[in-house]
CSV table of all heavy atoms in Angstrom, one decimal:
chain,number,residue,atom,x,y,z
R,139,MET,N,164.4,131.5,131.8
R,139,MET,CA,164.1,130.3,131.1
R,139,MET,C,163.0,129.5,131.8
R,139,MET,O,162.2,128.9,131.2
R,139,MET,CB,165.4,129.4,130.9
R,139,MET,CG,166.3,129.9,129.8
R,139,MET,SD,165.5,130.1,128.2
R,139,MET,CE,165.5,128.4,127.7
R,140,ILE,N,163.1,129.5,133.1
R,140,ILE,CA,162.1,128.8,133.9
R,140,ILE,C,160.7,129.4,133.8
R,140,ILE,O,159.7,128.7,133.5
R,140,ILE,CB,162.5,128.6,135.4
R,140,ILE,CG1,163.7,127.7,135.5
R,140,ILE,CG2,161.4,128.1,136.3
R,140,ILE,CD1,164.4,127.7,136.9
R,141,ILE,N,160.7,130.8,133.9
R,141,ILE,CA,159.4,131.5,133.8
R,141,ILE,C,158.8,131.2,132.4
R,141,ILE,O,157.6,130.9,132.4
R,141,ILE,CB,159.7,133.0,134.0
R,141,ILE,CG1,160.1,133.3,135.4
R,141,ILE,CG2,158.4,133.8,133.7
R,141,ILE,CD1,160.7,134.7,135.6
R,142,LEU,N,159.6,131.3,131.4
R,142,LEU,CA,159.1,131.1,130.1
R,142,LEU,C,158.8,129.6,129.7
R,142,LEU,O,157.9,129.2,129.1
R,142,LEU,CB,160.1,131.7,129.1
R,142,LEU,CG,159.6,131.9,127.6
R,142,LEU,CD1,158.4,132.9,127.6
R,142,LEU,CD2,160.7,132.4,126.8
R,143,GLY,N,159.7,128.8,130.2
R,143,GLY,CA,159.8,127.4,129.9
R,143,GLY,C,158.5,126.6,130.4
R,143,GLY,O,158.0,125.8,129.6
R,144,ILE,N,158.0,126.9,131.6
R,144,ILE,CA,156.9,126.2,132.1
R,144,ILE,C,155.7,126.3,131.2
R,144,ILE,O,155.1,125.3,130.7
R,144,ILE,CB,156.6,126.6,133.6
R,144,ILE,CG1,157.7,126.2,134.5
R,144,ILE,CG2,155.3,126.0,134.1
R,144,ILE,CD1,157.7,126.8,135.9
R,145,PRO,N,155.2,127.5,130.9
R,145,PRO,CA,154.0,127.6,130.0
R,145,PRO,C,154.4,127.0,128.6
R,145,PRO,O,153.5,126.4,128.0
R,145,PRO,CB,153.7,129.1,129.9
R,145,PRO,CG,154.8,129.8,130.5
R,145,PRO,CD,155.6,128.9,131.4
R,146,PHE,N,155.6,127.3,128.2
R,146,PHE,CA,156.0,126.8,126.8
R,146,PHE,C,155.8,125.3,126.7
R,146,PHE,O,155.1,124.7,125.8
R,146,PHE,CB,157.5,127.1,126.5
R,146,PHE,CG,157.9,126.6,125.2
R,146,PHE,CD1,157.8,127.5,124.1
R,146,PHE,CD2,158.5,125.4,125.0
R,146,PHE,CE1,158.3,127.0,122.8
R,146,PHE,CE2,158.9,124.9,123.8
R,146,PHE,CZ,158.8,125.8,122.7
R,147,VAL,N,156.3,124.5,127.7
R,147,VAL,CA,156.2,123.1,127.7
R,147,VAL,C,154.7,122.6,127.9
R,147,VAL,O,154.3,121.7,127.1
R,147,VAL,CB,157.0,122.5,128.9
R,147,VAL,CG1,156.7,121.0,129.1
R,147,VAL,CG2,158.5,122.7,128.6
R,148,LEU,N,154.0,123.3,128.8
R,148,LEU,CA,152.6,122.9,129.0
R,148,LEU,C,151.8,123.1,127.7
R,148,LEU,O,150.9,122.3,127.4
R,148,LEU,CB,152.0,123.8,130.1
R,148,LEU,CG,152.5,123.4,131.5
R,148,LEU,CD1,152.0,124.4,132.6
R,148,LEU,CD2,152.1,122.0,131.9
R,149,ILE,N,152.0,124.2,127.0
R,149,ILE,CA,151.2,124.5,125.8
R,149,ILE,C,151.7,123.5,124.7
R,149,ILE,O,150.9,123.0,123.9
R,149,ILE,CB,151.4,126.0,125.3
R,149,ILE,CG1,150.7,126.9,126.4
R,149,ILE,CG2,150.7,126.2,124.0
R,149,ILE,CD1,151.1,128.3,126.2
R,150,ALA,N,153.0,123.3,124.7
R,150,ALA,CA,153.5,122.3,123.6
R,150,ALA,C,152.9,120.9,123.9
R,150,ALA,O,152.7,120.2,122.9
R,150,ALA,CB,155.0,122.3,123.7
R,151,LEU,N,152.6,120.6,125.1
R,151,LEU,CA,152.1,119.3,125.4
R,151,LEU,C,150.6,119.1,125.0
R,151,LEU,O,150.1,118.0,125.0
R,151,LEU,CB,152.2,119.0,126.9
R,151,LEU,CG,153.7,118.5,127.4
R,151,LEU,CD1,153.7,118.4,128.9
R,151,LEU,CD2,154.1,117.2,126.7
R,152,GLN,N,149.9,120.3,124.8
R,152,GLN,CA,148.5,120.2,124.5
R,152,GLN,C,148.1,119.3,123.3
R,152,GLN,O,147.0,118.7,123.4
R,152,GLN,CB,147.9,121.6,124.4
R,152,GLN,CG,147.8,122.2,125.8
R,152,GLN,CD,147.2,123.6,125.7
R,152,GLN,OE1,147.2,124.3,124.7
R,152,GLN,NE2,146.8,124.1,126.9
R,153,PRO,N,148.6,119.2,122.2
R,153,PRO,CA,149.8,119.9,121.7
R,153,PRO,C,149.4,121.1,120.9
R,153,PRO,O,148.6,120.9,119.9
R,153,PRO,CB,150.5,118.8,120.9
R,153,PRO,CG,149.3,117.9,120.4
R,153,PRO,CD,148.1,118.2,121.3
R,154,ASP,N,150.0,122.2,121.1
R,154,ASP,CA,149.7,123.4,120.3
R,154,ASP,C,151.1,124.1,120.1
R,154,ASP,O,151.4,125.1,120.7
R,154,ASP,CB,148.7,124.3,121.1
R,154,ASP,CG,148.3,125.5,120.2
R,154,ASP,OD1,148.9,125.7,119.1
R,154,ASP,OD2,147.5,126.3,120.7
R,155,MET,N,151.8,123.5,119.2
R,155,MET,CA,153.2,124.0,118.9
R,155,MET,C,153.2,125.4,118.5
R,155,MET,O,154.1,126.2,118.8
R,155,MET,CB,153.9,123.1,117.9
R,155,MET,CG,154.1,121.7,118.3
R,155,MET,SD,154.9,121.5,119.9
R,155,MET,CE,156.6,121.9,119.4
R,156,GLY,N,152.2,125.8,117.7
R,156,GLY,CA,152.2,127.2,117.2
R,156,GLY,C,152.2,128.2,118.3
R,156,GLY,O,153.0,129.1,118.3
R,157,THR,N,151.2,128.1,119.2
R,157,THR,CA,151.1,129.0,120.3
R,157,THR,C,152.3,129.0,121.2
R,157,THR,O,152.8,130.0,121.6
R,157,THR,CB,149.8,128.7,121.1
R,157,THR,OG1,148.7,128.7,120.2
R,157,THR,CG2,149.6,129.8,122.2
R,158,ALA,N,152.8,127.8,121.4
R,158,ALA,CA,154.1,127.7,122.2
R,158,ALA,C,155.2,128.4,121.6
R,158,ALA,O,156.0,129.1,122.2
R,158,ALA,CB,154.4,126.2,122.4
R,159,PHE,N,155.3,128.2,120.2
R,159,PHE,CA,156.4,128.8,119.5
R,159,PHE,C,156.4,130.3,119.6
R,159,PHE,O,157.4,131.0,119.7
R,159,PHE,CB,156.3,128.3,118.0
R,159,PHE,CG,157.5,128.8,117.2
R,159,PHE,CD1,158.8,128.4,117.4
R,159,PHE,CD2,157.2,129.8,116.2
R,159,PHE,CE1,159.8,128.8,116.6
R,159,PHE,CE2,158.3,130.2,115.4
R,159,PHE,CZ,159.6,129.8,115.6
R,160,MET,N,155.1,130.9,119.6
R,160,MET,CA,155.0,132.3,119.7
R,160,MET,C,155.7,132.9,120.9
R,160,MET,O,156.2,134.0,121.0
R,160,MET,CB,153.5,132.7,119.7
R,160,MET,CG,152.8,132.5,118.3
R,160,MET,SD,153.7,133.3,117.0
R,160,MET,CE,154.0,131.9,116.0
R,161,LEU,N,155.6,132.1,122.0
R,161,LEU,CA,156.2,132.6,123.3
R,161,LEU,C,157.7,132.8,123.2
R,161,LEU,O,158.3,133.6,124.0
R,161,LEU,CB,155.9,131.6,124.4
R,161,LEU,CG,154.4,131.3,124.7
R,161,LEU,CD1,154.3,130.4,126.0
R,161,LEU,CD2,153.7,132.6,125.0
R,162,THR,N,158.4,132.1,122.2
R,162,THR,CA,159.8,132.3,122.1
R,162,THR,C,160.2,133.8,121.7
R,162,THR,O,161.3,134.2,121.9
R,162,THR,CB,160.4,131.4,121.1
R,162,THR,OG1,159.8,131.6,119.8
R,162,THR,CG2,160.3,129.9,121.5
R,163,SER,N,159.1,134.5,121.2
R,163,SER,CA,159.4,135.9,120.8
R,163,SER,C,159.8,136.7,122.1
R,163,SER,O,160.6,137.6,122.0
R,163,SER,CB,158.2,136.5,120.2
R,163,SER,OG,157.2,136.8,121.2
R,164,PHE,N,159.2,136.3,123.2
R,164,PHE,CA,159.6,137.0,124.5
R,164,PHE,C,161.1,136.9,124.8
R,164,PHE,O,161.8,137.8,125.2
R,164,PHE,CB,158.8,136.4,125.7
R,164,PHE,CG,157.4,136.7,125.7
R,164,PHE,CD1,156.4,135.9,126.1
R,164,PHE,CD2,156.9,138.0,125.3
R,164,PHE,CE1,155.1,136.2,126.2
R,164,PHE,CE2,155.6,138.4,125.3
R,164,PHE,CZ,154.7,137.5,125.8
R,165,MET,N,161.6,135.7,124.5
R,165,MET,CA,163.1,135.4,124.8
R,165,MET,C,163.9,136.3,123.9
R,165,MET,O,164.9,136.9,124.3
R,165,MET,CB,163.3,133.9,124.6
R,165,MET,CG,164.5,133.5,125.4
R,165,MET,SD,164.3,133.7,127.2
R,165,MET,CE,166.0,133.9,127.7
R,166,ILE,N,163.5,136.3,122.6
R,166,ILE,CA,164.3,137.0,121.6
R,166,ILE,C,164.3,138.5,122.0
R,166,ILE,O,165.4,139.1,122.0
R,166,ILE,CB,163.6,136.9,120.2
R,166,ILE,CG1,163.7,135.4,119.7
R,166,ILE,CG2,164.3,137.8,119.2
R,166,ILE,CD1,162.9,135.0,118.5
R,167,PHE,N,163.2,139.1,122.4
R,167,PHE,CA,163.2,140.5,122.7
R,167,PHE,C,163.9,140.7,124.0
R,167,PHE,O,164.6,141.8,124.2
R,167,PHE,CB,161.7,141.0,122.7
R,167,PHE,CG,161.3,141.5,121.4
R,167,PHE,CD1,160.8,140.7,120.5
R,167,PHE,CD2,161.5,142.9,121.1
R,167,PHE,CE1,160.4,141.1,119.2
R,167,PHE,CE2,161.1,143.3,119.8
R,167,PHE,CZ,160.6,142.5,118.9
R,168,ALA,N,163.8,139.8,125.0
R,168,ALA,CA,164.6,140.0,126.2
R,168,ALA,C,166.1,140.1,125.9
R,168,ALA,O,166.8,140.9,126.5
R,168,ALA,CB,164.3,138.8,127.1
R,169,ILE,N,166.6,139.2,125.1
R,169,ILE,CA,168.0,139.2,124.7
R,169,ILE,C,168.4,140.5,124.0
R,169,ILE,O,169.4,141.1,124.2
R,169,ILE,CB,168.3,137.9,123.9
R,169,ILE,CG1,168.3,136.7,124.8
R,169,ILE,CG2,169.7,138.1,123.3
R,169,ILE,CD1,168.3,135.4,124.1
R,170,ILE,N,167.5,141.0,123.1
R,170,ILE,CA,167.8,142.2,122.4
R,170,ILE,C,167.8,143.4,123.3
R,170,ILE,O,168.7,144.3,123.2
R,170,ILE,CB,166.7,142.4,121.3
R,170,ILE,CG1,166.8,141.4,120.1
R,170,ILE,CG2,166.8,143.8,120.7
R,170,ILE,CD1,165.7,141.3,119.2
R,171,LEU,N,166.9,143.4,124.3
R,171,LEU,CA,166.8,144.6,125.1
R,171,LEU,C,167.8,144.6,126.2
R,171,LEU,O,168.2,145.7,126.7
R,171,LEU,CB,165.4,144.6,125.8
R,171,LEU,CG,164.2,144.8,124.9
R,171,LEU,CD1,162.9,144.6,125.6
R,171,LEU,CD2,164.2,146.3,124.3
R,172,LYS,N,168.3,143.5,126.6
R,172,LYS,CA,169.2,143.4,127.8
R,172,LYS,C,170.6,143.1,127.3
R,172,LYS,O,170.8,142.4,126.3
R,172,LYS,CB,168.8,142.4,128.8
R,172,LYS,CG,167.8,142.8,129.8
R,172,LYS,CD,168.4,143.7,130.8
R,172,LYS,CE,167.4,144.2,131.8
R,172,LYS,NZ,168.0,145.1,132.8
R,173,LYS,N,171.6,143.6,128.0
R,173,LYS,CA,173.0,143.1,127.7
R,173,LYS,C,173.0,141.7,128.2
R,173,LYS,O,172.5,141.3,129.2
R,173,LYS,CB,174.0,143.9,128.5
R,173,LYS,CG,174.1,145.4,128.0
R,173,LYS,CD,175.3,146.1,128.5
R,173,LYS,CE,175.4,147.5,128.1
R,173,LYS,NZ,174.4,148.4,128.8
R,174,ILE,N,173.8,140.9,127.4
R,174,ILE,CA,173.8,139.4,127.8
R,174,ILE,C,175.3,139.0,127.6
R,174,ILE,O,176.0,139.4,126.7
R,174,ILE,CB,172.8,138.6,126.9
R,174,ILE,CG1,172.8,137.1,127.3
R,174,ILE,CG2,173.1,138.7,125.4
R,174,ILE,CD1,171.6,136.4,126.8
R,175,ARG,N,175.7,138.0,128.4
R,175,ARG,CA,177.0,137.5,128.3
R,175,ARG,C,177.1,136.7,127.0
R,175,ARG,O,176.2,135.8,126.8
R,175,ARG,CB,177.3,136.5,129.5
R,175,ARG,CG,177.4,137.2,130.8
R,175,ARG,CD,178.8,136.9,131.4
R,175,ARG,NE,179.0,137.7,132.6
R,175,ARG,CZ,178.9,137.3,133.9
R,175,ARG,NH1,178.5,136.0,134.1
R,175,ARG,NH2,179.1,138.1,134.9
R,176,PRO,N,178.1,136.9,126.2
R,176,PRO,CA,178.2,136.2,124.9
R,176,PRO,C,178.1,134.7,125.0
R,176,PRO,O,177.5,134.0,124.2
R,176,PRO,CB,179.5,136.7,124.3
R,176,PRO,CG,179.8,138.0,124.9
R,176,PRO,CD,179.2,137.9,126.3
R,177,VAL,N,178.8,134.2,126.1
R,177,VAL,CA,178.9,132.7,126.3
R,177,VAL,C,177.5,132.1,126.4
R,177,VAL,O,177.2,131.0,126.0
R,177,VAL,CB,179.8,132.4,127.5
R,177,VAL,CG1,179.1,132.9,128.8
R,177,VAL,CG2,180.0,130.9,127.6
R,178,ILE,N,176.5,132.9,127.0
R,178,ILE,CA,175.2,132.4,127.2
R,178,ILE,C,174.5,132.3,125.8
R,178,ILE,O,173.8,131.3,125.5
R,178,ILE,CB,174.4,133.3,128.1
R,178,ILE,CG1,175.0,133.3,129.5
R,178,ILE,CG2,172.9,132.9,128.2
R,178,ILE,CD1,174.3,134.3,130.5
R,179,VAL,N,174.8,133.3,125.0
R,179,VAL,CA,174.2,133.3,123.6
R,179,VAL,C,174.7,132.0,122.9
R,179,VAL,O,173.9,131.3,122.3
R,179,VAL,CB,174.6,134.5,122.8
R,179,VAL,CG1,174.0,134.4,121.4
R,179,VAL,CG2,174.0,135.8,123.5
R,180,ILE,N,176.0,131.8,123.0
R,180,ILE,CA,176.6,130.6,122.3
R,180,ILE,C,176.0,129.3,122.9
R,180,ILE,O,175.5,128.4,122.2
R,180,ILE,CB,178.1,130.6,122.4
R,180,ILE,CG1,178.7,131.7,121.6
R,180,ILE,CG2,178.7,129.3,121.9
R,180,ILE,CD1,180.1,132.1,122.0
R,181,PHE,N,175.9,129.3,124.2
R,181,PHE,CA,175.3,128.1,124.9
R,181,PHE,C,173.9,127.9,124.5
R,181,PHE,O,173.5,126.8,124.1
R,181,PHE,CB,175.4,128.3,126.4
R,181,PHE,CG,174.6,127.3,127.2
R,181,PHE,CD1,175.2,126.0,127.4
R,181,PHE,CD2,173.4,127.5,127.7
R,181,PHE,CE1,174.5,125.0,128.1
R,181,PHE,CE2,172.7,126.6,128.4
R,181,PHE,CZ,173.2,125.3,128.6
R,182,THR,N,173.1,129.0,124.4
R,182,THR,CA,171.7,128.9,124.0
R,182,THR,C,171.6,128.3,122.6
R,182,THR,O,170.8,127.4,122.4
R,182,THR,CB,171.1,130.3,124.1
R,182,THR,OG1,171.4,130.9,125.3
R,182,THR,CG2,169.6,130.2,123.9
R,183,LEU,N,172.4,128.8,121.7
R,183,LEU,CA,172.4,128.4,120.3
R,183,LEU,C,172.6,126.9,120.3
R,183,LEU,O,171.9,126.1,119.6
R,183,LEU,CB,173.4,129.1,119.4
R,183,LEU,CG,173.0,130.5,119.1
R,183,LEU,CD1,174.1,131.2,118.3
R,183,LEU,CD2,171.7,130.6,118.3
R,184,VAL,N,173.7,126.4,121.0
R,184,VAL,CA,174.0,125.0,121.0
R,184,VAL,C,172.8,124.2,121.5
R,184,VAL,O,172.4,123.2,120.9
R,184,VAL,CB,175.3,124.7,121.9
R,184,VAL,CG1,175.5,123.2,122.0
R,184,VAL,CG2,176.5,125.3,121.2
R,185,VAL,N,172.3,124.7,122.7
R,185,VAL,CA,171.1,124.0,123.3
R,185,VAL,C,169.9,123.9,122.3
R,185,VAL,O,169.3,122.9,122.2
R,185,VAL,CB,170.7,124.6,124.6
R,185,VAL,CG1,169.4,124.1,125.1
R,185,VAL,CG2,171.8,124.3,125.7
R,186,VAL,N,169.7,125.1,121.7
R,186,VAL,CA,168.6,125.1,120.7
R,186,VAL,C,168.7,124.1,119.6
R,186,VAL,O,167.8,123.4,119.3
R,186,VAL,CB,168.4,126.6,120.2
R,186,VAL,CG1,167.5,126.6,119.0
R,186,VAL,CG2,167.8,127.5,121.3
R,187,ILE,N,170.0,124.1,119.1
R,187,ILE,CA,170.2,123.1,118.0
R,187,ILE,C,170.0,121.7,118.4
R,187,ILE,O,169.3,120.9,117.8
R,187,ILE,CB,171.6,123.4,117.4
R,187,ILE,CG1,171.6,124.7,116.6
R,187,ILE,CG2,172.0,122.3,116.4
R,187,ILE,CD1,173.0,125.3,116.3
R,188,ILE,N,170.7,121.4,119.5
R,188,ILE,CA,170.6,120.0,120.1
R,188,ILE,C,169.1,119.7,120.4
R,188,ILE,O,168.5,118.7,120.1
R,188,ILE,CB,171.5,119.8,121.3
R,188,ILE,CG1,172.9,119.8,120.8
R,188,ILE,CG2,171.2,118.4,121.9
R,188,ILE,CD1,173.9,119.9,122.0
R,189,GLY,N,168.5,120.7,121.1
R,189,GLY,CA,167.1,120.5,121.5
R,189,GLY,C,166.2,120.4,120.3
R,189,GLY,O,165.3,119.5,120.3
R,190,ALA,N,166.5,121.1,119.2
R,190,ALA,CA,165.6,121.0,118.0
R,190,ALA,C,165.7,119.7,117.4
R,190,ALA,O,164.7,119.0,117.0
R,190,ALA,CB,166.0,122.1,117.0
R,191,LEU,N,167.0,119.2,117.3
R,191,LEU,CA,167.2,117.8,116.8
R,191,LEU,C,166.5,116.8,117.6
R,191,LEU,O,165.9,115.9,117.1
R,191,LEU,CB,168.7,117.5,116.6
R,191,LEU,CG,169.5,118.3,115.5
R,191,LEU,CD1,170.9,118.0,115.6
R,191,LEU,CD2,168.9,117.9,114.2
R,192,GLY,N,166.7,116.9,118.9
R,192,GLY,CA,166.0,116.0,119.8
R,192,GLY,C,164.5,116.0,119.7
R,192,GLY,O,163.9,115.0,119.6
R,193,THR,N,164.0,117.2,119.7
R,193,THR,CA,162.6,117.4,119.6
R,193,THR,C,162.1,116.8,118.3
R,193,THR,O,161.1,116.0,118.2
R,193,THR,CB,162.2,118.9,119.6
R,193,THR,OG1,162.8,119.5,120.7
R,193,THR,CG2,160.7,119.1,119.7
R,194,TRP,N,162.8,117.0,117.2
R,194,TRP,CA,162.5,116.5,115.9
R,194,TRP,C,162.3,115.0,115.9
R,194,TRP,O,161.4,114.5,115.4
R,194,TRP,CB,163.5,117.0,114.9
R,194,TRP,CG,163.2,116.5,113.5
R,194,TRP,CD1,163.6,115.4,112.9
R,194,TRP,CD2,162.3,117.2,112.6
R,194,TRP,NE1,163.1,115.3,111.6
R,194,TRP,CE2,162.3,116.4,111.4
R,194,TRP,CE3,161.6,118.4,112.6
R,194,TRP,CZ2,161.6,116.8,110.3
R,194,TRP,CZ3,160.9,118.7,111.5
R,194,TRP,CH2,160.8,117.9,110.4
R,195,ASN,N,163.3,114.4,116.5
R,195,ASN,CA,163.4,112.9,116.4
R,195,ASN,C,162.5,112.2,117.4
R,195,ASN,O,162.0,111.2,117.2
R,195,ASN,CB,164.8,112.5,116.6
R,195,ASN,CG,165.7,112.8,115.4
R,195,ASN,OD1,165.2,112.7,114.3
R,195,ASN,ND2,166.9,113.2,115.6
R,196,TYR,N,162.4,112.9,118.6
R,196,TYR,CA,161.7,112.1,119.7
R,196,TYR,C,160.4,112.7,120.1
R,196,TYR,O,159.5,112.0,120.7
R,196,TYR,CB,162.6,112.0,120.9
R,196,TYR,CG,163.9,111.3,120.6
R,196,TYR,CD1,165.1,112.0,120.5
R,196,TYR,CD2,163.9,109.9,120.2
R,196,TYR,CE1,166.3,111.3,120.1
R,196,TYR,CE2,165.1,109.3,119.9
R,196,TYR,CZ,166.3,110.0,119.8
R,196,TYR,OH,167.4,109.3,119.5
R,197,VAL,N,160.2,114.0,119.9
R,197,VAL,CA,158.9,114.6,120.4
R,197,VAL,C,157.9,114.8,119.3
R,197,VAL,O,156.7,114.4,119.5
R,197,VAL,CB,159.3,115.9,121.1
R,197,VAL,CG1,158.0,116.6,121.6
R,197,VAL,CG2,160.3,115.7,122.2
R,198,LEU,N,158.3,115.4,118.2
R,198,LEU,CA,157.4,115.7,117.2
R,198,LEU,C,156.8,114.5,116.5
R,198,LEU,O,157.5,113.5,116.2
R,198,LEU,CB,158.0,116.6,116.1
R,198,LEU,CG,158.4,118.0,116.5
R,198,LEU,CD1,158.9,118.7,115.3
R,198,LEU,CD2,157.2,118.7,117.1
R,199,LYS,N,155.5,114.5,116.3
R,199,LYS,CA,154.8,113.4,115.7
R,199,LYS,C,155.0,113.6,114.2
R,199,LYS,O,155.3,114.7,113.7
R,199,LYS,CB,153.3,113.5,116.0
R,199,LYS,CG,153.0,113.3,117.5
R,199,LYS,CD,151.5,113.2,117.8
R,199,LYS,CE,151.3,112.7,119.2
R,199,LYS,NZ,151.4,113.8,120.2
R,200,PRO,N,154.9,112.5,113.4
R,200,PRO,CA,155.2,112.6,112.0
R,200,PRO,C,154.4,113.8,111.3
R,200,PRO,O,155.0,114.4,110.4
R,200,PRO,CB,154.8,111.3,111.4
R,200,PRO,CG,154.9,110.4,112.6
R,200,PRO,CD,154.6,111.2,113.8
Side-chain angles (χ1 to χ4, degrees):
Chain R
M139 285 304 281
I140 290 169
I141 295 167
L142 194 61
I144 292 169
F146 180 92
V147 169
L148 290 173
I149 295 167
L151 282 173
Q152 283 181 341
D154 184 357
M155 295 308 284
T157 307
F159 183 69
M160 289 307 120
L161 298 186
T162 58
S163 74
F164 287 146
M165 204 61 208
I166 294 166
F167 272 85
I169 290 169
I170 291 168
L171 292 170
K172 276 284 181 186
K173 292 196 182 73
I174 185 164
R175 291 234 172 105
V177 64
I178 298 176
V179 177
I180 293 162
F181 171 80
T182 311
L183 285 175
V184 172
V185 168
V186 165
I187 291 165
I188 294 170
L191 288 174
T193 310
W194 181 266
N195 288 325
Y196 301 108
V197 180
L198 289 186
K199 298 188 169 81

